[in-house]
Amino acid sequence: MSIQAASNSEKPPQEDNYQPPSSLSSLPDDVVLNCLARVPRSDDLNISCVSKTLRSLVRSPELCRLRSRLPKKSLYLFYHFHQVSKRCHWITLRRDTMSIQAASNSEKPPQEDNYQPPSSLSSLPDDVVLNCLARVPRSGDLNISCVSKTLRSLVRSPELCRLRSRLPKKSLYLFYHFHQVSKRCHWITLRRGEKMITSTHDYQVEQRSCSLAGLLTSPHFPTFYSSGVSVGSEIYFPDHGWPFPSTKVRVLDTRSGTIRMVPSMKVARWAHKEAMGVVDGKIYVIGGTYGKNQVEVFDPETQTWEFAGEEKVQCNSRFSASLEDKVYMVDLEHGRISAYSPREGINNVATERLIEHMNCMCVVENVIYACFKRSGLMWFDTKLKVWRRLIDSGGKATLCSFNAGKMAEYEGKLAVFWTQINTNFVEKVDIRCRIIALDRVGEEIRGKIESSGSVATCSYSITLSHCLVVSD
């Protein structure tokens, strides 16, 4: 908490009594542990972010042992009954059990007719608790292990790892197409596995393609600016239909790797001007025509199209994303954001006009992110109705990624993809991926690059078209 001045001289000016600043890292580990033992457990997560040394000390069993040996304080609340009683009654509140206990110096304290003892996770069978913990992100394991010895042992048990491995996993699909006419659909699948992108994070990468024979109504699949959504393990694409609008919609079954057509829409639309979003498991298609038209909704279970209502709306959207039961769209002409809700209809959000080109847009943890050609990565503040720049963990706007072609949410993080010329083969390009962890700090959102590397090498004439996440 001091202000230091420096210059480019060899030796900075020092006063006669100058002493270098000290920190916890300069103290012995046993001294630091004794200090940390007196800090509330609720601050462990923040402390572990300061340095690797403090992180290892916070997670050490020695810290738990020291905290258990510290004197504990309990709160006693005494009460008495209105009738004459020869007994003393009290309620005890203490940290160790995280519950309120009632007691008296009688053999059996008075109980009400509907009295039930307090329940907690510790009262449930271990297999039930493990199934609950398996659905909690691994980032919360440290906090959970501090609650009790029982939870600590369950968090560290191999059974928890086995249950988590059997949960449905999510995979990220990155689609691309060649500039020449092709009768195949190509994509890259990214999922947790054994193959490595970098030396610290494991992702399994797989390149696949499938035939479009009999499904092509236009020579382009899919277009760079067209929309696409995922429902469960299926991905839905609108037909390009150039130079005419189309009612066709294709769906990729990621489990079988095949593409089929679904029933046609009621209204012909241009794929590069329409918005698609998912609300309550149903697909909403908005705009895509020159004039006003009704919104259509597709039910994947019944495989039927219906009009969402009588209201006719006009929307020419290049990018769209689903958030909080609404479909957010970016207008092609003015760059402003509008939102469609099945209950409220369309609402033009009072946002600033975008004066630069947007490359891509997605939603991560209920926040809209976009990449702009000059400003780089930004996020949309739904309260102030403005775009704000994504900064790094140090508070500087260095996470630009101006050349990001596509991006999507993956495991609560931002996955950004772009193409880059291969340094060894001039006629080939690398498809590169950057995984960015996001953290809200006050009114800002900060990002930290967790991994960055090449996921595939392709011929030079490709364009990234869609980036979506599905449940396997």
Side-chain angles (χ1 to χ4, degrees), residues 321-324 326 328 337-339 347 349-352 362-369 378-388 440 443 445:
S322 304
L323 173 64
E324 297 176 348
K326 294 181 181 180
Y328 283 82
I337 286 185
S338 57
N347 176 30
V349 184
T351 60
E352 56 184 345
C362 72
V363 173
V364 182
E365 298 290 340
N366 294 326
V367 178
I368 299 176
Y369 293 86
M378 303 186 75
W379 61 279
F380 184 67
D381 191 328
T382 54
K383 293 182 180 179
L384 301 178
K385 312 300 183 186
V386 295
W387 287 98
R388 304 182 65 176
R440 185 179 286 273
E443 297 297 325
I445 294 182

Side-chain angles (χ1 to χ4, degrees), residues 174-180 186 188 207 224 418-420 427-432 456-465:
L174 176 67
F175 293 85
Y176 62 94
H177 67 272
F178 293 91
H179 292 176
Q180 63 270 25
H186 304 268
I188 295 172
Q207 283 184 270
F224 178 74
W418 71 98
T419 57
Q420 182 175 307
E427 295 182 355
K428 293 184 177 293
V429 295
D430 293 330
I431 300 178
R432 301 186 66 84
T457 300
C458 303
S459 65
Y460 187 73
S461 57
I462 68 165
T463 298
L464 304 181
S465 53

Side-chain angles (χ1 to χ4, degrees), residues 264-312:
S264 299
M265 293 185 292
K266 299 177 181 292
V267 179
R269 306 171 190 268
W270 277 279
H272 64 287
K273 290 186 177 183
E274 71 184 18
M276 294 184 72
V278 179
V279 178
D280 293 333
K282 296 183 179 181
I283 302 172
Y284 288 80
V285 181
I286 309 156
T289 60
Y290 280 117
K292 292 185 177 182
N293 220 314
Q294 292 171 277
V295 177
E296 290 189 65
V297 55
F298 180 74
D299 189 340
E301 294 186 0
T302 61
Q303 295 285 297
T304 56
W305 288 95
E306 293 180 355
F307 287 119
E310 297 295 330
E311 179 187 11
K312 293 185 177 181

